[in-house]
Amino acid sequence: MVTPVIEVRDLEKIYPDGTRAVRGISFEVEEGEFFGFLGPNGAGKSTTIKILITLLRKTGGTVRIMGLDVSRQTDAIRRVIGYAAQEVGVDDDLTARENLMLQGELYHMERTLLRQRTDELLELMDLASDADRLAGSFSGGMRKRLDLATGLMHRPRLLFLDEPTTGLDPQNRANLWIYLDRLNKQEKLTIFLTTHYMEEADKLCNRLAIIDHGQIKTLGSPRQLKQELGGDVIALRFATNGQDVTTQAQQACAVLSGAPFVANIDRFDEGINVYAQNGGSVVPDVLRLLDDAGVHVTQLSLTSPSLDDVFLKHTGYKIRDEELDRNWRNQRGGPFGRRRR
Ligand SMILES: Nc1ncnc2c1ncn2[C@@H]1O[C@H](COP(=O)(O)OP(=O)(O)O)[C@@H](O)[C@H]1O
Ligand SMILES: [Mg+2]
């Protein structure tokens, strides 16, 4: 049997103030995978990643990185992994090339190899034509690409990324996805990424875990997780009509849960999601059943399931990107800027 690149068993982290940030999680990542940790702010993503890269001590459980024990073989692990923090760690007063060269020198890379690897990464990240410009003059997206490249100088086989696109505008975010995908495929790099963006996890990851309150709620490929919902999503919203929406939603659940064509129902604040195969053909039946029961539908939409629906199913609430972005801006930056050790 092949040893997994990442092996986590019953991992637990309780901070000194008593916060139980990680509550007994287990998962494995195989060589070559692009694995995602998807969850809202405070879910325990950064705590987990910091333990995996040996920057934070765990409270319980076992973690092996390429067969190495995180508690006892920290140096060996640090040599084979790369890490890019939430905050960009490039030096603005150096050119792109100088940033890379300096990083390689920190790893005591041999001179010829150092030059070669620098050129290779500048090329890979489409920074070759800007190699001799100061990083301080780069756009946000370019700085992030340079930051990624510095983390790859020592040719790690495994790369950890903590919310790599948080703080980038949607265009730069989508642009960075191309490079991350390229690293995974061309450099055959195993990537462990955390994110609170559903679309990002959906686009990039072969497999992902949804994490909330320090626990893994579900794990699988995006396609698998969506299929498990049981078909198309019919999202329903209700009129208040004197009654409150909750009562209407409860009534709708009661009526529809008995219907043979309904695979699953999720309730949330604004309404309900009904899952059914061939959603389009059952919509008239759904409406008729609800009308007969006196439930007034004000809005109906029919979609294929998305990761948002998966998330909602397993956590009971929706993740709101704008809100999370705002929180993120208010947080202080990560303590692990590569240059500031
Ligand atoms: N150094 C710390 N001491 C105490 N609690 C912490 C510390 N760092 C994080 N936490 C708490 O642990 C939980 C998980 O945090 P974190 O791993 O940063 O989540 P995420 O990266 O998913 O946003 C949160 O409740 C957070 O407030
Ligand atoms: Mg975090």
Side-chain angles (χ1 to χ4, degrees), residues 6 8 11 21-22 25-29 34-40 43-50 52 161-164 191-198 200-201 205 207-212 214-219 311 319:
I6 301 175
V8 175
L11 177 63
V22 178
I25 60 172
S26 302
F27 63 93
E28 287 177 2
V29 177
F34 202 135
F35 189 89
F37 236 41
L38 174 65
K45 303 182 297 296
S46 294
T47 301
T48 304
I49 216 170
K50 283 178 209 162
L52 267 49
L161 301 168
D162 195 6
E163 305 232 11
I191 301 181
F192 180 97
L193 162 142
T194 74
T195 185
H196 66 254
Y197 296 113
M198 305 278 167
E200 181 160 299
C205 301
R207 283 197 309 138
L208 62 97
I210 287 181
I211 177 163
D212 194 27
Q215 289 175 314
I216 290 179
K217 299 293 177 183
T218 186
L219 192 155
F311 189 85
I319 215 169

Side-chain angles (χ1 to χ4, degrees), residues 225-238:
L225 294 176
K226 287 182 243 174
Q227 273 175 353
E228 276 169 14
L229 292 178
D232 298 322
V233 186
I234 304 166
L236 299 167
R237 304 285 180 278
F238 307 103

Side-chain angles (χ1 to χ4, degrees), residues 32-330:
E33 275 196 300
F34 202 135
F35 189 89
F37 236 41
L38 174 65
N41 232 323
K45 303 182 297 296
S46 294
T47 301
T48 304
I49 216 170
K50 283 178 209 162
I51 294 169
L52 267 49
I53 63 176
T54 75
L55 288 183
L56 186 68
R57 280 177 175 282
K58 59 184 161 61
T59 312
T62 55
V63 177
R64 289 187 164 273
I65 302 295
M66 299 184 151
L68 304 162
D69 187 312
V70 283
S71 305
R72 291 176 295 133
Q73 296 169 289
T74 53
D75 288 346
I77 290 175
R78 287 179 194 196
R79 275 195 293 273
V80 294
I81 65 170
Y83 171 58
Q86 213 159 340
E87 232 192 18
V88 171
V90 304
D91 190 331
D92 284 348
D93 300 325
L94 299 178
T95 66
R97 189 188 304 280
E98 286 165 350
N99 264 286
L100 293 176
M101 298 284 282
L102 178 65
Q103 184 67 19
E105 279 157 15
L106 291 179
Y107 279 101
H108 307 293
M109 283 171 76
E110 188 267 318
R111 202 78 198 158
T112 322
L113 203 69
L114 177 60
R115 287 226 174 77
Q116 208 181 327
R117 183 64 174 159
T118 299
D119 286 339
E120 194 177 289
L121 285 171
L122 286 167
E123 200 66 44
L124 188 75
M125 291 286 138
D126 285 338
L127 291 170
S129 55
D130 300 290
D132 300 309
R133 274 176 54 196
L134 291 181
S137 72
F138 282 8
S139 70
M142 288 168 80
R143 282 164 52 88
K144 191 68 209 182
R145 261 141 64 199
L146 178 58
D147 185 46
L148 273 176
T150 57
L152 296 170
M153 278 301 286
H154 62 301
R155 289 186 189 281
R157 297 313 309 141
L158 171 60
L159 179 65
F160 290 91
L161 301 168
D162 195 6
E163 305 232 11
T165 67
T166 298
L168 292 181
D169 59 55
Q171 196 186 339
N172 273 315
R173 182 176 303 146
N175 188 263
L176 196 71
W177 292 343
I178 298 169
Y179 293 93
L180 294 178
D181 189 59
R182 195 184 277 184
L183 288 174
N184 174 242
K185 297 208 169 80
Q186 284 185 19
E187 291 252 306
K188 307 232 184 310
L189 199 58
T190 309
I191 301 181
F192 180 97
L193 162 142
T194 74
T195 185
H196 66 254
Y197 296 113
M198 305 278 167
E199 196 192 351
E200 181 160 299
D202 202 0
K203 280 245 160 55
L204 291 174
C205 301
N206 313 118
R207 283 197 309 138
L208 62 97
I210 287 181
I211 177 163
D212 194 27
H213 300 301
Q215 289 175 314
I216 290 179
K217 299 293 177 183
T218 186
L219 192 155
S221 72
R223 172 200 279 263
Q224 206 180 345
L225 294 176
K226 287 182 243 174
Q227 273 175 353
E228 276 169 14
L229 292 178
D232 298 322
V233 186
I234 304 166
L236 299 167
R237 304 285 180 278
F238 307 103
T240 41
N241 248 359
Q243 281 181 321
D244 68 285
V245 178
T246 313
T247 315
Q248 299 251 321
Q250 269 165 1
Q251 224 177 322
C253 281
V255 171
L256 294 174
S257 58
F261 53 79
V262 171
N264 215 334
I265 303 180
D266 282 334
R267 275 247 10 237
F268 51 99
D269 286 351
E270 305 100 286
I272 67 172
N273 275 2
V274 178
Y275 301 95
Q277 300 297 339
N278 307 315
S281 64
V282 305
V283 162
D285 294 330
V286 168
L287 289 175
R288 190 180 40 78
L289 284 171
L290 292 177
D291 193 49
D292 288 352
V295 178
H296 300 284
V297 176
T298 50
Q299 256 187 57
L300 180 150
S301 70
L302 175 68
T303 50
S304 302
S306 67
L307 272 190
D308 292 86
D309 301 312
V310 175
F311 189 85
L312 174 65
K313 158 129 203 91
H314 291 280
T315 64
Y317 64 95
K318 280 171 174 274
I319 215 169
R320 287 180 182 81
D321 285 351
E322 324 80 58
E323 205 173 287
L324 291 162
D325 274 350
R326 204 163 47 240
N327 288 341
W328 177 80
R329 268 185 232 112
N330 294 336

